[in-house]
Amino acid sequence: MIELKHLTKRYGATLAVDDLSFSVRPGLVTGFLGPNGAGKSTTMRLILGLCAPTSGEALVNGRRYASLRRPVHEVGALLDANAVHGSRSAYDHLLCLARTNGIGPRRVTEALERVGLTGVARRPVGGFSLGMKQRLGIAAALLGDPGVLIFDEPVNGLDPDGVRWIRDLMRTLAAQGRTILLSSHLMSEMALTADHIVIVGKGRLIAEATVAELTARYPTLEDAYLTLTASSVEYGAGRS
Ligand code: ADP
């Protein structure tokens, strides 16, 4: 599981993440919502040890990322689908990741199959659509068969078939007992995909509830989101 304890990250005058505490539990898809600039990506980067907290901590399976013994087998992530070498093939991209982490080539083939890229595996990634790059990023996240998965806006750039595919994949991964943290701005899709919702605004926790609780109190998840984040903007106005 993932645990955030008073996690705080300051960039100069900006409090990107402000005393954030919540847990992401196994067996569930946790939707991570908030307006642009709310601190979602920074939180994910802090969990993955890509930047250091100003104070507080983020733990994966009870440890800071840097002290995980076999990180790719414990946590997989897709943060930026474009962060790939354009001249490398999908297969070679994954093979590099696999080789540097002691993972065999069979797992690369399986991951490509899992995301539906087998037919284009030998083509340079530079010619891939954003949706295909998202699929490649998901394959990379799944390479080490980790129990914890973090996906930042994986639905961006996907066609309706791809959107449905992501939904089914997230549900399947959670049903296998994995811990899934997923950010997206597509509220209708999130309502169908997630079990649990965490909403942040200006780096702070606004709400933590099940989708069922939110849709019992508001007509739709989108209404819940818009209402809760609107009041946070007022509350948070002038914070730095
Ligand atoms: P979100 O993912 O919710 O859109 P971010 O985590 O990207 O939000 O950003 C939160 C805030 O932190 C924003 O005000 C952003 O400009 C700021 N921020 C993020 N990364 C950096 C950085 N490396 N340097 C300075 N400010 C940053």
Side-chain angles (χ1 to χ4, degrees), residues 28-62:
L28 303 174
V29 176
T30 298
F32 194 28
L33 310 182
N36 289 337
K40 303 178 299 296
S41 299
T42 304
T43 301
M44 288 174 161
R45 290 171 57 78
L46 287 162
I47 295 167
L48 294 162
L50 294 169
C51 55
T54 304
S55 59
E57 60 181 0
L59 303 178
V60 176
N61 299 331

Side-chain angles (χ1 to χ4, degrees), residues 11-12 14-17 34-43 45 152 185 200:
Y11 289 109
T14 304
L15 259 179
V17 177
N36 289 337
K40 303 178 299 296
S41 299
T42 304
T43 301
R45 290 171 57 78
D152 197 2
H185 287 296
V200 290

Side-chain angles (χ1 to χ4, degrees), residues 12-221:
T14 304
L15 259 179
V17 177
D18 185 4
D19 196 27
L20 203 52
S21 297
F22 66 86
S23 296
V24 186
R25 282 176 284 139
L28 303 174
V29 176
T30 298
F32 194 28
L33 310 182
N36 289 337
K40 303 178 299 296
S41 299
T42 304
T43 301
M44 288 174 161
R45 290 171 57 78
L46 287 162
I47 295 167
L48 294 162
L50 294 169
C51 55
T54 304
S55 59
E57 60 181 0
L59 303 178
V60 176
N61 299 331
R63 291 163 172 265
R64 280 179 293 110
Y65 185 91
S67 64
L68 293 174
R69 262 178 240 123
R70 301 164 76 220
V72 294
H73 298 282
E74 296 209 45
V75 53
L78 164 60
L79 295 191
D80 178 1
N82 284 310
V84 285
H85 274 289
S87 55
R88 211 172 262 172
S89 71
Y91 181 86
D92 285 343
H93 172 70
L94 293 181
L95 190 65
C96 285
L97 290 174
R99 285 222 169 118
T100 48
N101 287 285
I103 297 168
R106 212 184 76 194
R107 186 77 204 145
V108 170
T109 309
E110 284 169 6
L112 285 163
E113 261 171 42
R114 183 84 193 262
V115 301
L117 289 180
T118 303
V120 295
R122 302 287 174 175
R123 290 204 209 152
V125 174
F128 280 18
S129 66
L130 178 57
M132 289 160 78
K133 286 184 192 163
Q134 297 280 29
R135 286 174 185 261
L136 181 60
I138 291 170
L142 296 175
L143 209 52
D145 198 21
V148 177
L149 287 154
I150 296 175
F151 300 107
D152 197 2
E153 303 275 355
V155 172
N156 273 1
L158 288 177
D159 59 17
D161 269 359
V163 172
R164 173 179 282 238
W165 172 77
I166 292 253
R167 184 200 311 162
D168 293 344
L169 178 68
M170 297 296 135
R171 301 290 336 146
T172 303
L173 292 168
Q176 291 168 344
R178 295 178 212 261
T179 302
I180 316 288
L181 182 63
L182 166 70
S183 79
S184 173
H185 287 296
L186 269 188
M187 291 302 145
S188 54
E189 196 47 40
M190 194 58 104
L192 296 172
T193 308
D195 308 282
H196 203 84
I197 296 288
V198 172
I199 304 178
V200 290
K202 292 188 178 275
R204 295 187 71 94
L205 185 70
I206 294 175
E208 195 186 356
T210 64
V211 171
E213 283 164 351
L214 290 170
T215 51
R217 278 178 52 201
Y218 300 90
T220 64
L221 181 62

